[in-house]
Amino acid sequence: MIKLAHSPDADDAYMFYGIAAGAVKLPAPYVEFLADIETLNKLAMEELLDVTAVSVHALAYICGRYYVMRVGASMGDGYGPVVVARETGELRWVAVPGRYTTAALLLKLAMPKVKTVEVPFDKVLDAVAAGVVDGGVVIHEGQITYGRWGLRKVVDLGEWWWRETGLPTPLGVDVVRKALGREVAAAIAKALADSIRYADKHREEALKYAQRFARGLTLEDTAKFVDMYVNAYTRDMGAVGERAIRELLQRAAEAGHAPPCEVEYI
């Protein structure tokens, strides 16, 4: 039984729609597990999941035990997690949606002097609005809804990364446990690619399914968010996507934020 996991958000739901709808088959029976990305990161570190979405930051800790699929990546082309605040001024304490998230890593690289505190991703906006912290890094739908909390953008970390490197922001990837074997891993990668193609061909149905995981977004906003993170790099990250991942992990290692690693793709 394959243990397959992804985040309960709209872009992941869209990607896995073909599989969830039964139109695309995995090479073996599977059980699905949904959890926030930081939980998935930690479970993957213990090698408790066979197929899962993880943060690129977390790859530094698991790359010896998981293949990275070239399909399914979440990369922002000049955009990414957003640092938000109530007002202008120095940011001392900033909420991050988990230690091993790419959002937390990008914040440390871009704003090394801030102090961070971990807050569940769906509570970051509340923490900033209530004044518990000076600012917060928002991911998922928070990237397009933070204005509803009366908050302003301090910096888009994807824009910062683009200015630094000229590369897309490598936020998340889908991985397969190497213990399953390369042949099975390749079959799973093909199934995910087929699942995305199925969603593209049945876009209206796939978006309505994805909206269930969009935490109050309208269908229009759901489509906007899905199109942000189910893009050309999702369908095949290519050499540019691989270079973006390599650059981020190298910078993380050089700054002492993560161990060095060599990623193996499937």
Side-chain angles (χ1 to χ4, degrees):
M1 185 72 72
I2 294 173
K3 290 175 284 186
L4 180 151
H6 63 80
S7 300
D9 55 49
D11 57 326
D12 275 14
Y14 183 93
M15 286 189 275
F16 282 91
Y17 177 64
I19 295 171
V24 175
K25 302 298 182 184
L26 290 170
Y30 74 95
V31 59
E32 185 178 58
F33 175 71
L34 304 183
D36 68 279
I37 193 64
E38 183 69 346
T39 296
L40 299 184
N41 289 338
K42 292 176 180 178
L43 290 172
M45 288 178 189
E46 302 298 335
E47 209 172 339
L48 296 175
L49 300 169
D50 295 318
V51 181
T52 185
V54 295
S55 299
V56 170
H57 182 190
L59 279 184
Y61 302 87
I62 67 169
C63 60
R65 292 169 286 162
Y66 284 86
Y67 297 115
V68 174
M69 290 189 272
R70 289 187 174 88
V71 63
S74 295
M75 296 195 180
D77 216 352
Y79 51 85
V82 180
V83 181
V84 300
R86 287 175 300 156
E87 53 193 32
T88 57
E90 181 185 4
L91 299 183
R92 295 182 61 235
W93 285 99
V94 177
V96 296
R99 174 185 174 185
Y100 300 106
T101 61
T102 307
L105 174 59
L106 287 168
L107 177 70
K108 289 178 180 179
L109 294 174
M111 305 173 71
K113 293 183 179 181
V114 303
K115 297 179 180 180
T116 61
V117 58
E118 294 180 52
V119 174
F121 80 92
D122 56 350
K123 296 298 181 183
V124 170
L125 289 170
D126 292 326
V128 179
V132 176
V133 288
D134 303 314
V137 186
V138 291
I139 60 174
H140 301 325
E141 69 282 349
Q143 293 170 74
I144 61 176
T145 63
Y146 62 85
R148 300 173 191 175
W149 272 258
L151 305 178
R152 64 174 188 88
K153 178 176 77 172
V154 176
V155 61
D156 183 318
L157 293 170
E159 292 176 357
W160 171 84
W161 177 255
W162 178 263
R163 290 194 300 270
E164 284 279 308
T165 67
L167 294 167
T169 317
L171 298 171
V173 290
D174 285 293
V175 299
V176 185
R177 197 162 63 94
K178 289 182 176 179
L180 295 180
R182 194 170 186 92
E183 184 177 343
V184 171
I188 291 171
K190 182 182 182 302
L192 181 54
D194 290 343
S195 181
I196 295 170
R197 279 192 289 270
Y198 182 85
D200 290 340
K201 289 179 181 178
H202 302 82
R203 180 174 169 83
E204 185 175 353
E205 297 170 18
L207 286 174
K208 287 180 179 178
Y209 174 75
Q211 189 183 14
R212 301 182 200 171
F213 303 87
R215 288 173 285 274
L217 292 188
T218 64
L219 188 61
E220 181 180 2
D221 280 345
T222 299
K224 178 180 178 182
F225 179 72
V226 166
D227 289 343
M228 286 174 65
Y229 290 112
V230 183
N231 53 32
Y233 297 109
T234 307
R235 293 167 178 89
D236 183 351
M237 70 170 66
V240 174
E242 289 185 25
R243 186 149 52 96
I245 291 172
R246 185 167 58 250
E247 181 70 21
L248 180 62
L249 292 178
Q250 182 177 328
R251 290 187 180 219
E254 290 173 352
H257 296 315
C261 74
E262 290 292 331
V263 177
E264 190 170 359
Y265 294 92
I266 192 80

